[in-house]
Amino acid sequence: MLVYAPAALFFLLCGIGVLRDRRRFSNAVLLGIAVSLLALALLTELRRAPTLVAELAAVAIVLLPTAGTVALVWFLLANGVTMIRKEGRRPANLLSLLAGLGIIAVIALLFAAIVTRSPRLGILAGTAVLVVGYISFLFVCFVGYAFLYGRHRPRRDVDFVVVLGSGLIGGERVPPLLASRLNRGREVYEQQAARGKPPVLITSGGQGPDEKLPEADAMAAYLIEHGFPAEHIEREDRSRTTEENLLFSKAIMERARPGYRCVVVTNNFHAFRAALTARKTGVNGHVFGSPTARYYWPSATIREFAAIFLAHKLVNFGICGLLALCGVLAAL
């Protein structure tokens, strides 16, 4: 049983982190390490398994990653084409396509290094594998923990529901992405109002340079047009970023009710990063995600991960540099 001790330790550390605050990226990394160590421990148990079982497991260990990589590349490329067709060729819409092409490039580099037996290509391929492996591990941690975070539903009443803005169509109309957030915010409001304690709903979003009015006003108008009680809406109309959304909304909530509790609503792909920002800004609340079109989710998720990765660039680039150095030394 000692082989499972490292995995158990990291599961315990993850559990402690979750109890302290679910809104930590370290929880995602600890969970990823724990699951990885558990998988290694289970692999060591194959030594005791019957020969046929061990052979089948060995075949699965080889084939599943290969088939999974092929399926992932195909999915990313197909999604990239769909994003370009439906959303245009803006850089943010190319992320899934670029990720698929990046995986193909690393595979091609490995194949070339093996075929040519070139020391330089070997160094480059080894370095690329180590760096990509690290980034992929963090990405899997992010996606897995973000999924689990999205399943959590606070049971206590809240005083405020904060809906984050996301831009307007034509500078004045609420787009489907933002409508999804507003509808989810309304659901949270109605669930609590049914218990006799209706919260205040804060529409949060300032006026961009290409917008005719603040997003908060357009969001409030959308809600009122759909029958939401205007007296339960508060507008935060100064913010330009998610951090400002939360900071300015926090000021409104603290002024109205010190010791408040809130729920923040955004789209599901953005929920975990918004939760990290809420913790950073000291907002006392959980973040809910609203549905997003399936084709939009992959690129949006990659963009969210990239933002979190760059938010810790000193650590992440430092580790990538060390892994690159290890790749060079190993190939010498």
Side-chain angles (χ1 to χ4, degrees), residues 204 236 238-249:
S204 179
E236 181 288 295
R238 297 183 296 148
S239 56
R240 298 291 184 89
T241 65
T242 298
E243 186 168 347
E244 288 184 353
N245 284 142
L246 294 167
L247 281 172
F248 297 156
S249 296

Side-chain angles (χ1 to χ4, degrees), residues 23-157:
R23 305 168 302 172
R24 293 171 177 263
F25 190 70
S26 59
N27 295 338
V29 176
L30 290 171
L31 180 61
I33 294 173
V35 171
S36 300
L37 291 173
L38 177 61
L40 290 174
L42 291 173
L43 287 176
T44 62
E45 294 295 316
L46 289 177
R47 295 177 303 175
R48 304 177 185 177
T51 303
L52 180 60
V53 174
E55 290 176 350
L56 290 175
V59 171
I61 291 170
V62 173
L63 292 182
L64 287 179
T66 303
T69 301
V70 172
L72 177 62
V73 169
W74 178 86
F75 172 77
L76 290 172
L77 295 178
N79 178 256
V81 173
T82 300
M83 282 293 294
I84 292 173
R85 188 173 68 250
K86 293 190 175 185
E87 300 290 336
R89 297 184 179 182
R90 291 182 301 168
N93 298 332
L94 302 176
L95 292 177
S96 56
L97 179 64
L98 292 175
L101 293 175
I103 294 173
I104 292 175
V106 172
I107 294 173
L109 182 60
L110 278 171
F111 183 76
I114 293 171
V115 171
T116 63
R117 298 182 181 181
S118 167
R120 291 184 178 180
L121 279 180
I123 292 173
L124 186 58
T127 300
V129 168
L130 287 174
V131 173
V132 170
Y134 170 72
I135 296 173
S136 299
F137 171 75
L138 289 184
F139 181 73
V140 171
C141 292
F142 165 71
V143 172
Y145 189 79
F147 174 81
L148 295 176
Y149 180 86
R151 307 279 76 75
H152 174 68
R153 294 292 183 270
R155 298 177 182 177
R156 296 174 59 183
D157 290 339

